[in-house]
Amino acid sequence: MSNKKQSTQPRISVIGTGYLGATHAAAMAEMGFEVIGVDTDPAKVAALAAGQVPFFEPGLPELLIKHVSSGRLRFTTDIAEATAMSDVHFICVGTPQQRGSNAANTAYVEAATLAVVKNLSHDGLIVGKSTVPVGTGAKLRSIVRENIPEGLTAELIWNPEFLREGKAVADTLTPDRLVIGGASPKAEALMREVYAMPLATGTPMIVCDLPTAELVKVSANAFLATKISFINAIAEICEAAGADVKVLADALGHDVRIGRQFLNAGLGFGGGCLPKDIRALMHRSSELGAYSAASLLQQVDEINMSQRQRVIDLTLEAVGGSVLNRRIGVLGAAFKPDTDDVRDSPALNVAAALHLRGAQVIVFDPEANETAKRSFPTLSYAETMEEAVTGSDAVLVLTEWPEFVNSDPAALFALAANPAIIDARNCLDAASWTGAGWTLRSLGRPAGVAADSGASVLGTSSVVGELVPAA
């Protein structure tokens, strides 16, 4: 590209420093690049510049501090400064669900792209990483063409992210695949330079057209969501027939065509990624006339949401039909372990629903108490697991944190007013809990079946799938 700034290697800007952007910026610095992160929120920029991560992600604080201290990673609110010092511009802003619609809101992506283009001082490559509806890239290319300063050139391509919350650093540094969409030979060569480190270790790069790249992330999330909803639908059959959904899932998982990951019956998926992504894909499919996909995703979403009501029903059964003035201990607020993300958290949804029925709900989460308080301030929060269990008429395990899975049922039994526990994630050893005196209920499993029964029967341990995080 002509007029490109002279440097020994491309310099990188990351537009948007939320979960995706902060992680990507730190990882790019770890790969050896000079990186500048840009955000419109001065408080967030100040925190990151001080080496403080405003959310919980294992390994990210250490990476951030390392490269802020070295000077390789900087943060600013000045988009002109960022574009002036950079050659490759990653768009990492959010695409939340539109109000009153299932469609994704691409306004932030459009604004970020426009800001980069208008402030270009030399030729550049704009790389979309945000999760967007198919067709967004074509619209953004029009924005680039119409607003680029005279005498400069810029190319827009797509490079979707595949981060899992709790494993985002590893997923960026050692991804299982890289997808590059709509790139010219020059842009592809530049992206191979940017990703030289993972490519050198064998990470495959799939080079494709722009629409295919836009569809990869949402299709992956839709498939994973479908797999989760499938096993939850089978769990309903298991309950009616007296079968054990976990043993069934273990048996299915031995088929290499199916695999064991994401076949964990329970409360279902949540977070800032899967729910909004499948709804956005459902909406876009209908717009394109692909009604079979829209219908399938509608069923996936409905099955997933129904699991929350099923856990509420089990809780009502456990306390005699009404939770009014009953103390309910809720273990878990984050939508999954190893994160403090409570966006569309099934755990908090269930907790709030019980609160609205008159229950005294006491929530404990090892990392997400503070984020949960901001979203659901009317709930009560405990400082420890033991505090949440003390005096409870029922205990609900809604997020499978290791400290809940490995807790001592006998010690907790002594604290509960009524030793009833709802294992909404099928993560507890039911034999240990019932042996300690607890009445245990779970989804899709007969009462009193040990959580590792599938392993003892099949000679293999189950694999817990990971949800894919949000931009």
Side-chain angles (χ1 to χ4, degrees), residues 109-133:
V109 173
E110 293 169 19
T113 303
L114 179 60
V116 169
V117 172
K118 283 191 169 183
N119 285 281
L120 285 175
S121 59
H122 58 284
D123 293 352
L125 178 63
I126 303 172
V127 184
K129 288 198 72 68
S130 304
T131 302
V132 296

Side-chain angles (χ1 to χ4, degrees), residues 198-346:
L199 290 173
T201 62
T203 298
M205 177 180 280
I206 296 95
V207 179
C208 58
D209 55 75
L210 195 59
T212 300
E214 292 172 317
L215 277 170
V216 171
K217 170 65 183 297
V218 291
S219 298
N221 279 355
F223 181 80
L224 297 176
T226 301
K227 201 171 181 182
I228 295 167
S229 286
F230 168 81
I231 200 63
N232 279 331
I234 295 297
E236 183 179 10
I237 302 174
C238 288
E239 287 186 34
D244 187 331
V245 72
K246 186 174 183 301
V247 177
L248 186 149
D250 287 342
L252 290 177
H254 280 280
D255 189 327
V256 295
R257 299 169 299 174
I258 298 173
R260 182 60 178 84
Q261 286 189 314
F262 285 85
L263 283 181
N264 296 292
L267 185 52
F269 57 82
C273 197
L274 261 68
K276 81 171 182 69
D277 285 355
I278 66 168
R279 291 165 191 162
L281 183 56
M282 185 193 317
H283 180 89
R284 187 65 176 133
S285 298
S286 295
E287 286 183 334
L288 295 171
Y291 299 114
S292 294
S295 178
L296 172 63
L297 294 172
Q298 177 74 25
Q299 288 296 311
V300 167
D301 201 8
E302 289 179 1
I303 291 170
N304 185 62
M305 296 303 294
S306 71
Q307 294 303 104
R308 306 178 186 194
Q309 183 59 49
R310 180 64 182 132
V311 172
I312 294 168
D313 293 341
L314 287 176
T315 306
L316 292 171
E317 293 173 16
V319 297
S322 173
V323 294
L324 182 63
N325 294 324
R326 298 297 187 99
R327 184 180 172 94
I328 308 298
V330 170
L331 302 183
F335 82 94
K336 58 172 278 188
D338 292 324
T339 182
D340 63 353
D341 194 344
V342 298
R343 290 175 294 175
D344 203 0
S345 167

Side-chain angles (χ1 to χ4, degrees), residues 110-192:
E110 293 169 19
T113 303
L114 179 60
V116 169
V117 172
K118 283 191 169 183
N119 285 281
L120 285 175
S121 59
H122 58 284
D123 293 352
L125 178 63
I126 303 172
V127 184
K129 288 198 72 68
S130 304
T131 302
V132 296
V134 61
T136 301
K139 183 176 182 180
L140 296 179
R141 282 181 167 177
S142 296
I143 291 175
V144 172
R145 285 194 302 269
E146 294 166 6
N147 292 278
I148 192 165
E150 187 176 353
L152 299 182
T153 62
E155 184 173 347
L156 183 136
I157 65 173
W158 220 260
N159 168 219
E161 57 90 10
F162 301 102
L163 305 188
R164 297 168 295 171
E165 292 193 34
K167 301 181 184 296
V169 172
D171 286 344
T172 306
L173 294 174
T174 57
D176 54 16
R177 80 282 207 194
L178 293 163
V179 176
I180 305 297
S184 67
K186 285 186 178 180
E188 181 186 336
L190 184 53
M191 291 302 290
R192 289 186 180 277

Side-chain angles (χ1 to χ4, degrees), residues 348 388 403:
L348 277 182
E403 68 183 81

Side-chain angles (χ1 to χ4, degrees), residues 446-466:
V449 176
D452 62 352
S453 63
S456 63
V457 172
L458 296 172
T460 183
S461 61
S462 64
V463 178
V464 178
E466 298 291 343

